[in-house]
Amino acid sequence: MTKFSFTLKATDGAARTGTISTPRGEIRTPAFMPVGTAATVKAMMPESVAATGADILLGNTYHLMLRPGAERVARLGGLHKFMNWEKPILTDSGGFQVMSLASLRKLTEDGVTFASHVDGSKHVLSPERSMEIQKLLGSDIVMCFDECPALPATEEEVAKSMRLSMRWAQRSRDAFGDRPGHALFGIQQGGVTRELREESAEKLKEIGFEGFAVGGLAVGEGQEAMFGVLDYAPGMLPQDKPRYLMGVGKPDDIVGAVERGIDMMDCVLPSRSGRTGQAWTRRGQVNIKNARHADDPRPLDEACTCPACSNYSRAYLHHVFRSGEMISGMLLTWHNLHYYQELMAGLRAAIDEGALARFVSEFHETRAMGDI
Ligand code: PRF
Ligand code: ZN
């Protein structure tokens, strides 16, 4: 059986390309992972998600434990079979979603108790239970159970939270056990404080993981502060393991993160904004509900090969959005995911050729032109 491994292919400055090999297939890095929170990438068939170029999806412990339940998914053959996605799945560990979605939260050394946002029922998550749930789901890449403070927070709060996350990282490692072909990723915390990021990285390296995430960013600090941390944080993590920036981001965040040595990212933005009438193109953001599209026979982006751009006009996309038709979310989500995957493919090709700087300046120049 293929074990889990990461092979670096090329570097250009701090940026890298590589391949993560898993028994369920290869992940080309830098990789963008569409978000399939509730065992679906909303508005997309799994085969369509694969057709956009995605090698891996993200799933959520928090949502799936509440509905339909991890034990039920396991009885039904695991998450891959349940949702008809055969390629790799990474699952987030739940703590971050508890903090943003659940109510009546109580945090202790052991873990967190909370009330479900679905029906108010009471639940417990701990490093041990999170590892158990992610195993029941059959996740290929399991994330440590951590805590992510919302910024701004005092340095003292961030330090205390980071040290708790590091104790939970050790407990996650111990509970994960020996699972060939599956990987456990540690999550660096420490806010925007270099010394705390360093302390966190050292602790994670001491424990040992198959990959390392940069957590605790894109939580209200702004792009400049985030890039400030990404100027040093990836370099604190092992060169020979994948580095995953959690919950990022907009296309320009992704480009900046890849330039700084990030290999994996996930974000709801392309899928969520597709359902609210926002499209992302080479020329920036387009709001399809805007009246200026009502008579426009041109596609969203004439250079895009996705079904929305190949077969439909802006006028049609505007009409179906305004009419609340389901195909609106389907087409815009497909376009957005396609755009994101094309961006990743472009970044990978540029890094392989040692031409990332030119790719990045063209990326910014094209966006600066604005929509057609
Ligand atoms: N930890 C976990 N999941 C996350 C984050 C984190 O810090 C973030 C921060 N952007 C997004 N998702 N476990
Ligand atoms: Zn398109």
Side-chain angles (χ1 to χ4, degrees):
M1 192 169 84
T2 322
K3 294 244 178 60
F4 183 93
S5 66
F6 177 58
T7 313
L8 265 184
K9 186 174 166 201
T11 59
D12 186 350
R16 322 105 66 83
T17 56
T19 306
I20 299 172
S21 298
T22 84
R24 289 192 173 270
E26 296 195 334
I27 303 154
R28 297 161 290 176
T29 66
F32 179 78
M33 304 184 280
V35 176
T37 287
T40 169
V41 176
K42 296 185 202 304
M44 294 285 282
M45 298 287 281
E47 46 271 46
S48 311
V49 178
T52 66
D55 293 335
I56 176 170
L57 287 189
L58 178 137
N60 277 114
T61 293
Y62 172 79
H63 297 80
L64 295 170
M65 73 183 279
L66 298 179
R67 188 170 59 190
E71 277 75 9
R72 176 174 286 141
V73 173
R75 284 195 301 275
L76 292 164
L79 184 57
H80 295 82
K81 178 158 189 272
F82 187 54
M83 67 180 293
N84 187 32
W85 174 264
E86 291 180 353
K87 296 185 192 214
I89 295 176
L90 176 150
T91 45
D92 200 358
S93 47
F96 183 77
Q97 288 73 31
V98 167
M99 289 304 158
S100 51
L101 296 169
S103 56
L104 306 173
R105 299 178 300 261
K106 213 178 111 212
L107 186 80
T108 66
E109 181 67 31
D110 190 54
V112 56
T113 59
F114 60 93
S116 158
H117 74 287
V118 178
D119 61 6
S121 57
K122 197 182 151 192
H123 296 265
V124 184
L125 260 181
S126 62
E128 291 76 19
R129 179 60 181 155
S130 178
M131 294 306 109
E132 186 179 24
I133 291 171
Q134 294 181 78
K135 184 176 183 175
L136 286 163
L137 297 173
S139 166
D140 304 285
I141 302 182
V142 170
M143 299 306 298
C144 275
F145 189 67
D146 66 335
E147 203 228 338
C148 170
L151 299 180
T154 66
E155 210 167 292
E156 198 183 321
E157 287 166 339
V158 174
K160 192 164 162 251
S161 163
M162 180 273 286
R163 287 175 190 135
L164 175 66
S165 287
M166 296 307 102
R167 293 191 296 279
W168 285 357
Q170 180 68 63
R171 281 169 57 191
S172 296
R173 180 81 270 180
D174 294 343
F176 180 80
D178 183 25
R179 300 181 58 206
H182 298 262
L184 179 63
F185 279 23
I187 306 175
Q188 183 199 42
Q189 294 289 348
V192 293
T193 308
R194 190 178 187 130
E195 293 70 33
L196 297 179
R197 288 276 164 190
E198 186 76 59
E199 181 183 331
S200 180
E202 289 309 311
K203 191 69 211 174
L204 295 175
K205 286 189 278 187
E206 187 186 310
I207 299 169
F209 292 98
E210 289 75 54
F212 294 81
V214 179
L217 292 179
V219 289
E221 75 281 9
Q223 191 189 68
E224 204 182 314
M226 179 171 84
F227 283 175
V229 173
L230 291 178
D231 282 337
Y232 56 74
M236 295 172 172
L237 302 171
Q239 173 82 9
D240 62 348
K241 300 281 167 69
R243 302 161 177 166
Y244 162 32
L245 178 59
M246 306 191 79
V248 172
K250 294 194 176 72
D252 56 321
D253 296 327
I254 288 180
V255 169
V258 167
E259 279 186 286
R260 291 168 173 80
I262 292 295
D263 306 307
M264 305 164 72
M265 276 150 290
D266 76 281
C267 189
V268 293
L269 197 64
S271 38
R272 180 175 292 164
S273 60
R275 303 194 304 280
T276 59
Q278 301 293 321
W280 298 87
T281 75
R282 295 170 301 130
R283 296 211 180 192
Q285 211 175 335
V286 178
N287 186 344
I288 204 66
K289 62 177 174 272
N290 195 303
R292 73 187 175 90
H293 305 298
D295 288 296
D296 195 338
R298 298 173 302 171
L300 202 45
D301 181 345
E302 84 284 347
C304 178
T305 58
C306 89
C309 296
S310 304
N311 304 317
Y312 302 92
S313 62
R314 287 181 175 223
Y316 181 77
L317 296 172
H318 172 83
H319 159 69
V320 289
F321 181 81
R322 286 280 185 114
S323 309
E325 291 294 344
M326 297 216 295
I327 197 172
S328 169
M330 294 162 64
L331 290 173
L332 287 185
T333 300
W334 194 319
H335 166 80
N336 284 343
L337 289 177
H338 180 98
Y339 170 70
Y340 266 63
Q341 295 298 343
E342 287 285 301
L343 177 61
M344 301 319 292
L347 286 163
R348 289 192 298 263
I351 296 166
D352 284 343
E353 291 161 14
L356 183 60
R358 196 178 69 216
F359 180 90
V360 172
S361 45
E362 278 173 18
F363 168 83
H364 289 296
E365 278 161 25
T366 311
R367 285 164 67 87
M369 290 161 68
D371 188 30
I372 53 173

